[in-house]
Amino acid sequence: MNETPCKERLETPRLLLRKGVLSDWESLWRNVWSRPEAARYMLWSVTESADEARARMARTIEWEKTHPWKYCVEEKASGRVIGWAGVEPLREGVWGETGIALGPDYWRCGYGREILEALCAFCRDEARAVRFIYAAREQNTASRALAESCGFLFDRSEERVDERNGESYFMNWYHRDLNGN
């Protein structure tokens, strides 16, 4: 088990990354989980109903107990939960993102960059990571652009199969050295 303590919240100028609470279900459902365009490049499926969303939030909170570096993303100005993000240790000195998802109404606002920079800062300052790994599906041009705009370097592409539909896709892997950043 990694010895890095969980940080309950990370802040950016416009966002608060914090642990989820049961009352976040509706905001996450309306902004992210019910939106097919948000799920398109992710490994989860759309949540169809309010009851399913409440149950999903309860499962998420339980899951976070064993995956401590996962956060709901709250927009400070509105108080809405507009997405989620997380990181995890991969090996000594190397951490990686476990997904960054924002609702489509919050795309192209610079929030992805704020989240990614906050996660990198946490990994560098708290986890003492020297390298951060970022992955994006090759077709996800917005995620690829985010990686490049944040100084990540392309490492490799790997063919995978989407378990939801059996279609193959390519996952691109990027890295950024954190020492000196």
Side-chain angles (χ1 to χ4, degrees), residues 116-156:
L116 188 53
E117 291 296 349
L119 295 174
C120 284
F122 164 76
C123 290
R124 180 190 64 231
D125 300 341
E126 305 290 331
R128 303 292 180 235
V130 295
R131 180 167 277 198
F132 192 93
I133 305 298
Y134 181 86
R137 287 190 188 207
E138 188 172 76
Q139 305 91 326
N140 189 340
T141 56
S143 279
R144 288 187 3 241
L146 174 62
E148 292 165 7
S149 75
C150 288
F152 282 79
L153 302 173
F154 177 80
D155 280 326
R156 71 187 190 286

Side-chain angles (χ1 to χ4, degrees), residues 9-10 12 14-19 21 24 27 71-84 102 111 115:
R9 53 192 286 151
L10 305 174
T12 76
R14 300 177 296 162
L15 303 171
L16 177 62
L17 282 67
R18 61 168 175 76
K19 294 295 165 194
V21 295
D24 291 332
S27 197
Y71 302 96
C72 284
V73 177
E74 179 183 318
E75 183 184 48
K76 289 179 183 178
S78 69
R80 289 185 199 105
V81 177
I82 62 169
W84 51 264
L102 288 172
Y111 289 155
I115 293 165

Side-chain angles (χ1 to χ4, degrees), residues 3-9 19 67-71 122:
E3 299 299 319
T4 301
C6 174
K7 194 157 187 177
E8 291 296 313
R9 53 192 286 151
K19 294 295 165 194
H67 298 82
W69 303 286
K70 172 128 187 303
Y71 302 96
F122 164 76

Side-chain angles (χ1 to χ4, degrees), residues 25 29 47-56 59:
W25 76 265
W29 180 47
T47 300
E48 300 289 338
S49 72
D51 288 340
E52 287 177 33
R54 278 191 285 277
R56 183 175 182 169
R59 288 190 309 273

